[in-house]
Each structure stands twice: as C-alpha cells, then as structure tokens.
Amino acid sequence: MCIRDRYRRWTLDGLDFVVRTQVDSYVQTDMGQQKFLKVCALNESDLSSEWRKKYEFNKGALLSAEFRNNMNKVSRWLCEAYLAGVSDLKVGLISRSDAKDSKKHSLIGVESLSRKNIEQTIGFKMNEGWAYLKYLIEYLRGQEDGEYALVKPSYRQTIRIYKVNKDKEEEQN
C-alpha cells in the first residue's frame, strides 16, 4: 500500500482553495489507467455481535448496520474520498482475536465498495458538506480578524466557534 498526497483545486462561490488529500492505493484498470482507492477499517467494538457468523451469511446487512453505527467515521471517509477523486473504497472488518488482548486482531474480510453505494446506504450528501463550508466561511468573514477554534461537543451535532484570546493564552504559558 502506498499513501500519496494529491492536491486538488476547488472553487466555492468565487473563492478558490486548494485541498491536500491522500490516496491510499490504486489498481490498474483494463485500459492501463490508475484507479485510486481509499483503504479503511471497521473494528468490532462489541465482541458479542459475532461478526464472523454474520459476515459469512449476510455481508450486506452487516456492512449496512455498521456504516449506520459509525456514521461520523464513514462520512469522513466519504468526504476524504470525494475530495481526493477516489471512487472506490476497500473496507476491512477487524475483530479482536481474544476479547482480553487489545494487540491481536483478525481480519474477518475485505469488501470493495463504490463510494456512491456507501453514500446511498447512509444518506450522505456531499452538497450538504459544501453548504456547511460556505456557511462557515461566510460566518468567519463577518467576524473580526483573529484566530478561532472550532469545537464539536461529544454526542452533539453542533459545532461551536470560539475566538482565541492571544493575551490570555500568553499569560497561561
């Protein structure tokens, strides 16, 4: 596996910006072209869920349920893949070999999935992501110059924006 940085230019309402993205791997197509891939892993957090049995008999239902249970992680993967120009993801399902040993794991399986199929499964819409970015840019443009911190509280679907006060920060150091 190779990790490669890929720079992509985007324009959003007249504002140009460059994004550094990462491509995890690639495959050679029949036409001799490189098709970029994103490699991801889902970890079995509840060992009583018996992924091994479910994977053998109903892969689709297992993946669909795990994508919904890990919505934030999967949405991040999809956004990263979109920005990098990646159309396919390789998703590995990882389980602990022994419930008490956090260092030994087993690879249950690897699935090759298209980004668009995963987007449909979890209802991900990249247009909404662009709308959030546009709102954030417009909001920050309306603020006075300075540094701001974006904070996402745990278990909440909100983001708070705080202005960093340089004077207080220097006093604490």
Side-chain angles (χ1 to χ4, degrees):
M1 175 167 44
C2 66
I3 295 179
R4 174 180 149 190
D5 287 339
R6 188 171 187 211
Y7 293 87
R8 310 259 334 260
R9 180 182 300 259
W10 298 92
T11 301
L12 182 63
D13 286 344
L15 178 66
D16 290 330
F17 56 98
V18 175
V19 178
R20 183 178 70 196
T21 62
Q22 286 189 336
V23 175
D24 297 321
S25 188
Y26 70 92
V27 292
Q28 206 77 19
T29 65
D30 295 337
M31 305 292 283
Q33 297 176 331
Q34 292 180 349
K35 186 175 182 180
F36 296 122
L37 300 173
K38 178 150 188 66
V39 180
C40 313
L42 288 170
N43 296 313
E44 182 179 25
S45 57
D46 180 11
L47 297 178
S48 66
S49 66
E50 299 180 342
W51 273 13
R52 283 180 176 82
K53 289 180 185 175
K54 290 179 182 178
Y55 184 76
E56 287 178 29
F57 297 111
N58 200 349
K59 296 176 190 176
L62 172 65
L63 285 170
S64 180
E66 289 305 316
F67 286 160
R68 286 191 194 95
N69 291 340
N70 294 283
M71 186 81 74
N72 190 42
K73 181 190 292 191
V74 175
S75 294
R76 187 185 77 234
W77 294 344
L78 293 172
C79 189
E80 290 171 351
Y82 179 86
L83 291 173
V86 172
S87 60
D88 292 332
L89 287 82
K90 295 275 189 183
V91 179
L93 297 165
I94 311 294
S95 179
R96 283 189 181 178
S97 299
D98 180 19
K100 296 178 182 176
D101 189 356
S102 64
K103 296 186 185 212
K104 292 185 181 176
H105 293 78
S106 298
L107 178 63
I108 296 172
V110 177
E111 293 296 316
S112 296
L113 303 163
S114 76
R115 188 187 77 232
K116 292 187 185 221
N117 285 348
I118 300 172
E119 288 173 358
Q120 289 173 348
T121 300
I122 67 169
F124 178 83
K125 296 177 182 78
M126 190 62 193
N127 288 341
E128 291 177 7
W130 290 118
Y132 293 138
L133 179 61
K134 181 182 174 187
Y135 173 79
L136 183 62
I137 290 170
E138 288 174 358
Y139 176 82
L140 291 173
R141 279 185 166 173
Q143 303 301 310
E144 62 185 64
D145 287 347
E147 288 187 29
Y148 292 85
L150 276 66
V151 179
K152 183 192 175 300
S154 299
Y155 305 106
R156 297 184 122 187
Q157 292 198 8
T158 60
I159 294 177
R160 295 190 177 160
I161 302 171
Y162 297 99
K163 184 170 195 278
V164 176
N165 190 340
K166 287 284 190 178
D167 297 334
K168 287 186 180 179
E169 189 177 299
E170 289 175 8
E171 286 175 15
Q172 290 177 354
N173 290 336

